[in-house]
Amino acid sequence: MTATVTAPAGRRVLGVLSKKAVVPWLFLAPGLLLALVFKFWPMAKGVWLSFFDVRPFLGDQWIGLDNYTRVLTDHRFQDAIGHTLVLGIGQSVGAILLGFVLALLLEGQARSLKIIRTAVFLPAVTATAVVGELWRLMYYPTSDGLLNGGLHLLGLGPVQFLDNPGIALYSTMAMGIWIWAPYNMVIILAGLAGVDRSLYEAAAMDGVSLWQRLRHITLPAIRPALMIVLTLATIRGLRVFTEVYVLTGGGPAGSTDVWMTRAYTVGFTRNDIGGASAASVVLLCVTLLLTVTINYLRKRGEAR
């Protein structure tokens, strides 16, 4: 007769738990590895290079915070801060408001609305380079352009949308609103789907106006969705690059030069890798600070 030795129950439970804990990480490992190699390591390398005078083939020279001082005192970067704030705030507010209006208009389960929503969402999934070229044709500074052609019929124009330093930034803002409003619409639609319809019915029976329903029922109910939209819009507004680079390249005369396009020019035109890295790190810190602040305000509002 042979004795059978069984493992303690606690050890078997730990073994099962350890397998359950390891399996998800095995599936996540390829994505985490790609993120480490192509995102987090370059990010750490950029932070490191921001403290050096980068000299290829000659050896990097440690200069401490000189790159940051030079970037923050450069009048071109200072001008870019103003352009970034104007473009980012205007583009974010405009895209949120337009996205909210589109969500209210296209809310519902009708088949036709689903088709229209798909068509409206196309700008958000179209390559920004393609969108930029389309808007460049629309802004064409003669009567052959779409917008100037319409103005010509009214006896106005032509308007130099992209060549006039006074309006080039706002022309770029219009394209940004057109791109991101449908993206915001989808998130707000998800929030509207969770609104209790009985509240609308009760408000209609009490003779509540449309504005009061929006203010006291709709907006409080979709506040979490709006906070998500606001967080994403803040990040996009500060990191705006492609729209400006494709449409104006920062011109004319630097009137649309934002922080990212200025950092790109410093790094890839003037070959000042240290200065460009310092500018990118400053932008990263500001973005993190604003994101943390918005999340703090969101949690504080939910706690109330």
Side-chain angles (χ1 to χ4, degrees), residues 3-52:
T4 302
V5 180
T6 58
R11 187 178 300 175
R12 290 199 302 271
V13 172
L14 290 176
V16 174
L17 291 177
S18 62
K19 290 181 180 179
K20 290 183 178 180
V22 170
V23 170
W25 289 103
L26 292 177
F27 285 101
L28 291 173
L32 293 175
L33 181 61
L34 290 175
L36 176 64
V37 174
F38 294 105
K39 185 174 183 179
F40 295 110
W41 172 248
M43 186 185 301
K45 186 67 174 179
V47 175
W48 176 256
L49 291 177
S50 67
F51 298 104
F52 287 85

Side-chain angles (χ1 to χ4, degrees), residues 1 9 12 33 41 44 86 99 101 110 225 232 252 291 303:
M1 185 175 181
R12 290 199 302 271
L33 181 61
W41 172 248
V86 171
V101 172
L232 296 176
T291 303

Side-chain angles (χ1 to χ4, degrees), residues 112-275:
S112 59
L113 287 179
K114 294 180 181 179
I115 297 174
I116 296 174
R117 282 199 294 263
T118 303
V120 171
F121 187 67
L122 286 178
V125 296
T126 305
T128 309
V130 176
V131 174
E133 289 302 319
L134 291 175
W135 278 77
R136 188 190 298 276
L137 294 174
M138 292 171 58
Y139 283 144
Y140 200 70
T142 67
S143 58
D144 296 331
L146 179 62
L147 294 180
N148 276 316
L151 293 175
H152 179 72
L153 295 176
L154 299 175
L156 304 173
V159 177
Q160 306 291 325
F161 289 102
L162 301 180
D163 297 327
N164 185 342
I167 63 175
L169 188 66
Y170 301 100
S171 300
T172 306
M173 185 187 300
M175 186 186 77
I177 293 173
W178 186 79
I179 292 174
W180 293 112
Y183 184 86
N184 296 336
M185 176 197 72
V186 172
I187 299 176
I188 295 173
L189 277 173
L192 290 173
V195 180
D196 188 358
R197 302 298 167 182
S198 62
L199 297 176
Y200 288 136
E201 297 173 359
M205 294 177 62
D206 292 337
V208 177
S209 65
L210 176 61
W211 166 247
Q212 290 176 326
R213 276 181 280 175
L214 288 175
R215 180 181 177 184
H216 298 290
I217 299 176
T218 305
L219 290 178
I222 65 171
R223 182 179 298 171
L226 289 177
M227 294 307 298
I228 294 174
V229 168
L230 180 60
T231 302
L232 296 176
T234 301
I235 296 173
R236 285 197 306 263
L238 290 176
R239 298 171 56 186
V240 60
F241 171 77
T242 310
E243 297 95 317
V244 177
Y245 184 77
V246 171
L247 201 58
T248 65
S255 60
T256 61
D257 207 10
V258 293
W259 191 270
M260 283 295 294
T261 56
R262 186 60 193 158
Y264 177 87
T265 301
V266 169
F268 293 96
T269 302
R270 294 170 46 185
N271 294 320
D272 185 2
I273 304 300

